[in-house]
Amino acid sequence: MNTIIRIFNYRFYVREFLLLFFCYLLSEGIFAWLFMQNSSLQVMYGKIMSIGIFAFMLYSLRKLDTLEKTYVILFSVLMVKLVIESVFLYDNIFKQFTLYTVIYPVVFTVFVKYIVRSWEIDLLEFIARFYLFSYIVFMLLFGRQFSFGLEMIEMDDYGPFSGDSRVIHARSIYMIIIPFLWYLSKLVHTPKLKYFVLFLFCVSAILLHQHRSVWSSAIVAMVIYLLFNARSVPSSLKNIVQFLMIFIAVVVGGYFIIADLNPGMVNLFAERFEEILNPAKEGSTGNFRIDQRTIYLDYIKDKPITGWSFEGFNLSNPLVDWWDENTGHHFHEGFIEILFYHGIVGLLLKYSIIVIILLKAFRKKLTQEAIILVAFCVSGLLFSLNYVLPLIFWGHAGLCLFYLDKKSKSDDLYYNSSI
């Protein structure tokens, strides 16, 4: 297993790549669909893998740093509490596995940080290329029904699909923000035409799939990146201004060209952007989220500390009735999901990871990798108002923590001018 393989100009030992492939990369929906085109199979695989990773982290507990140990121990205490509750109240070792999966990302974050730290591997460029590769291959294989009309598509298994002519769900398009920021970083520090083309490709993918939650998250991520970059590398301010001027010129030029060739397209995107500022618009998904948030906040107020736990599955869905019983409440918002099932305790345990990332980011200097991932992870707070963050997001949060904690050979975190 000491054989070395080369992928995207990265060299991995076979055992390293297999671990990354099965325990990290397959957490991405569109990539996993290339190998397992069955949601039930993916769910089963995810359950088995998550239990295995939790067991591995318990075994490796003595090798973890203080913060990592704290998260794993707190997660373990919560699991013991749930097992006791399930056994005594429901005569079942763990009545609803959903309660495990909702809070499991805490362990997954620690796991990814631990394995990357153990290997001392600079992985971000690989992840950026991985997402471009996955997106292109997925669209070539499954994107035949893509259109701008948002027509509904009936499917036997929706998997990572959006259920309409956008094809890919927002949770996967959201991940394109990583290569988007990666090539933005390249443009700011080593401007070349190929980087600008790849950056525009990422912008196009984000725009064309019309997920407003991704649009707003990408804008927030870009602003955060530019601010932290200017703070960490003041000499880059000139390049940032130059990039913004060129980018604005391209956007304005593109607007006039599209308006001339297809005025309806401009109106379509204008209406979609308008809905970002008016989420309560009747019949929109934003309006549904507001209704769901309002109704479930009343439930959360009844059990604010530890949530409804297993008892929540006995409550009928107050908004819709098209989901099967005992499958949970299928939340559209990450904050409401964790508060409903695990209360304030679960919210603090899960989302404190992003807060810690933001606090660590205010160190004197950051690497470009750290700045990119900080911007991406903090944008997850906004995305959580629209969707439940996918598991792989928390793996990227672990990668972010690795870069934030990584020391340069000289002094503190540093800017790598070779990027």
Side-chain angles (χ1 to χ4, degrees):
M1 296 294 280
N2 289 327
T3 304
I4 292 178
I5 59 175
R6 191 178 183 91
I7 301 175
F8 299 148
N9 291 326
Y10 271 71
R11 295 190 302 170
F12 297 97
Y13 289 114
V14 171
R15 63 178 181 274
E16 292 176 347
F17 178 75
L18 291 178
L19 186 62
L20 284 174
F21 181 89
F22 287 106
C23 299
Y24 186 7
L25 302 182
L26 279 182
S27 299
E28 170 51 52
I30 60 173
F31 183 68
W33 198 258
L34 301 178
F35 304 93
M36 295 182 285
Q37 295 172 24
N38 183 293
S39 291
S40 297
L41 179 60
Q42 286 191 24
V43 169
M44 181 60 65
Y45 176 81
K47 288 179 179 180
I48 295 171
M49 190 56 60
S50 66
I51 293 172
I53 287 175
F54 178 37
F56 174 76
M57 295 316 297
L58 288 175
Y59 174 78
S60 305
L61 192 63
R62 67 186 185 280
K63 301 177 183 178
L64 306 181
D65 64 30
T66 302
L67 183 61
E68 294 164 355
K69 286 180 181 177
T70 301
Y71 275 114
V72 174
I73 290 172
L74 289 176
F75 177 85
S76 301
V77 170
L78 181 56
M79 289 302 105
V80 170
K81 176 256 185 188
L82 290 174
V83 169
I84 293 173
E85 180 183 337
S86 182
V87 170
F88 281 93
L89 296 181
Y90 302 100
D91 196 29
N92 191 309
I93 188 67
F94 209 94
K95 190 173 187 294
Q96 296 290 349
F97 198 78
T98 299
L99 289 177
Y100 176 88
T101 58
V102 167
I103 198 69
Y104 162 72
V106 171
V107 173
F108 191 60
T109 299
V110 176
F111 168 74
V112 172
K113 182 189 175 188
Y114 172 70
I115 61 171
V116 176
R117 185 181 71 235
S118 299
W119 298 340
E120 280 292 322
I121 184 172
D122 184 6
L123 198 60
L124 182 56
E125 184 175 9
F126 176 86
I127 295 296
R129 294 180 177 183
F130 159 77
Y131 272 113
L132 288 185
F133 169 83
S134 299
Y135 171 78
I136 292 171
V137 173
F138 189 91
M139 287 300 292
L140 287 174
L141 294 176
F142 307 109
R144 291 182 295 275
Q145 292 180 288
F146 176 83
S147 74
F148 298 106
L150 304 184
E151 296 90 356
M152 299 303 295
I153 300 174
E154 292 292 333
M155 306 181 71
D156 295 328
D157 190 338
Y158 285 91
F161 297 94
S162 61
D164 55 36
S165 57
R166 290 176 292 185
V167 179
I168 302 176
H169 196 280
R171 287 190 295 267
S172 289
I173 295 298
Y174 173 59
M175 297 300 149
I176 302 296
I177 292 178
I178 292 179
F180 164 81
L181 293 174
W182 173 260
Y183 290 109
L184 170 60
S185 172
K186 289 282 194 177
L187 282 173
V188 167
H189 295 288
T190 53
K192 293 182 180 180
L193 179 60
K194 66 176 181 179
Y195 297 144
F196 192 66
V197 171
L198 289 168
F199 174 75
L200 288 182
F201 179 85
C202 296
V203 172
S204 300
I206 290 170
L207 278 175
L208 295 179
H209 286 273
Q210 300 183 61
H211 293 293
R212 292 155 297 168
S213 56
V214 180
W215 289 354
S216 53
S217 297
I219 293 170
V220 167
M222 183 170 73
V223 170
I224 293 172
Y225 168 79
L226 292 175
L227 289 175
F228 271 104
N229 188 80
R231 177 176 177 270
S232 294
V233 194
S235 61
S236 68
L237 277 172
K238 181 180 178 181
N239 286 348
I240 291 175
V241 172
Q242 183 181 28
F243 159 76
L244 289 174
M245 292 176 63
I246 294 173
F247 183 61
I248 292 172
V250 171
V251 171
V252 172
Y255 170 83
F256 284 112
I257 292 173
I258 295 174
D260 183 57
L261 297 176
N262 190 346
M265 184 70 68
V266 174
N267 294 333
L268 171 67
F269 279 92
E271 290 174 2
R272 297 290 288 168
F273 270 107
E274 183 182 357
E275 289 180 12
I276 295 177
L277 303 176
N278 183 25
K281 182 179 179 180
E282 188 67 29
S284 67
T285 53
N287 183 256
F288 176 82
R289 291 185 184 99
I290 292 172
D291 290 342
Q292 188 181 62
R293 184 181 306 132
T294 301
I295 291 172
Y296 278 97
L297 278 175
D298 290 334
Y299 285 117
I300 292 167
K301 290 175 184 177
D302 291 337
K303 296 180 182 292
I305 306 302
T306 58
W308 281 81
S309 189
F310 298 106
E311 189 179 353
F313 286 84
N314 297 327
L315 300 174
S316 60
N317 194 305
L319 284 176
V320 297
D321 59 1
W322 58 68
W323 283 302
D324 297 332
E325 292 185 7
N326 297 318
T327 61
H329 291 254
H330 304 271
F331 290 100
H332 236 297
E333 180 182 330
F335 297 119
I336 295 298
E337 180 195 58
I338 192 68
L339 281 168
F340 179 78
Y341 287 126
H342 293 291
I344 295 173
V345 170
L347 179 72
L348 293 176
L349 182 59
K350 189 174 185 179
Y351 280 92
S352 63
I353 291 171
I354 300 179
V355 175
I356 289 172
I357 284 173
L358 187 57
L359 293 175
K360 283 177 175 285
F362 283 98
R363 295 170 66 174
K364 190 173 182 180
K365 288 185 180 180
L366 298 175
T367 62
Q368 283 298 292
E369 294 91 345
I371 296 173
I372 290 167
L373 286 171
V374 166
F376 171 73
C377 291
V378 174
S379 75
L381 294 174
L382 176 60
F383 192 78
S384 289
L385 292 172
N386 300 280
Y387 291 100
V388 175
L389 287 165
L391 177 62
I392 199 165
F393 169 89
W394 300 98
H396 301 328
L399 186 62
C400 180
L401 287 169
F402 161 72
Y403 281 116
L404 285 169
D405 290 345
K406 183 179 179 182
K407 295 282 185 179
S408 71
K409 292 181 179 179
S410 55
D411 185 10
D412 203 345
L413 292 171
Y414 66 106
Y415 165 60
N416 185 345
S417 61
S418 65
I419 291 176

